[in-house]
Amino acid sequence: MTEVSRVVDVPPEAVFTVLADGWLYSGWVVGSSHIRDVDENWPAAGSRIHHSVGPWPLHIQDVTVVKAVEPGSFLSLEARGWPLGAAEVGISLAPHGAGKTRVTMSERVVRGPGKVLPDAVQALLAKPRNEEALARLADLATGKYANRKSAQP
């Protein structure tokens, strides 16, 4: 399993607001190129984001499914991109000082060709991608939080 973390200068609920908006998924998930549909009850367990992975015209259409959710603190996903396979992704949010959040993302391949790769090789491939995903998630959460605060009287 590969794990990365990052401290974001907003509270956990601000980060979870981005995770709970399925239409923002391709804005922070590296490799996701287009969102086709989001189930109305996202991010409830069993709900799906219907997305494309990869560059046009070679993109793959598949889904990401919520496996478990604890609003404001945890989201477990199965991200699919067949024929490449599927990965189990966990995103945990924990308060980290005043108004900050430690975001931790874990990933492990559960199906497909990547499953036969040794853990060290999987980590070499996943770690930089997931670090970039957390950087994008941090930017979205920080921007949305700043806009919300400035809109308050």
Side-chain angles (χ1 to χ4, degrees):
M1 180 174 298
T2 302
E3 188 173 284
V4 297
S5 64
R6 177 186 191 100
V7 174
V8 182
D9 291 332
V10 297
E13 60 271 11
V15 179
F16 197 80
T17 296
V18 175
L19 297 174
D21 184 344
W23 292 102
L24 293 177
Y25 185 80
S26 64
W28 63 271
V29 174
V30 176
S32 176
S33 57
H34 176 73
I35 303 302
R36 299 185 321 277
D37 194 20
V38 177
D39 289 359
E40 279 186 35
N41 60 338
W42 178 269
S47 62
R48 297 168 179 239
I49 292 176
H50 306 262
H51 56 74
S52 300
V53 177
W56 183 89
L58 305 173
H59 61 254
I60 299 164
Q61 295 187 358
D62 219 322
V63 297
T64 290
V65 181
V66 176
K67 304 307 276 181
V69 63
E70 292 176 29
S73 63
F74 181 72
L75 186 61
S76 174
L77 306 171
E78 182 178 273
R80 301 176 187 169
W82 202 254
L84 301 175
E88 202 171 83
V89 178
I91 304 165
S92 299
L93 311 176
H96 188 79
K100 296 183 179 189
T101 305
R102 175 171 294 283
V103 183
T104 302
M105 178 186 284
S106 62
E107 177 180 345
R108 71 181 178 93
V109 177
V110 292
R111 282 194 306 283
K115 189 163 172 53
V116 300
L117 295 174
D119 290 344
V121 175
Q122 288 184 37
L124 278 174
L125 299 172
K127 187 175 181 182
R129 183 184 73 244
N130 290 347
E131 287 173 340
E132 175 62 20
L134 289 188
R136 293 177 185 189
L137 178 61
D139 288 344
L140 285 168
T142 302
K144 284 181 72 69
Y145 186 72
N147 286 340
R148 187 183 82 194
K149 284 182 71 175
S150 67
Q152 294 176 353

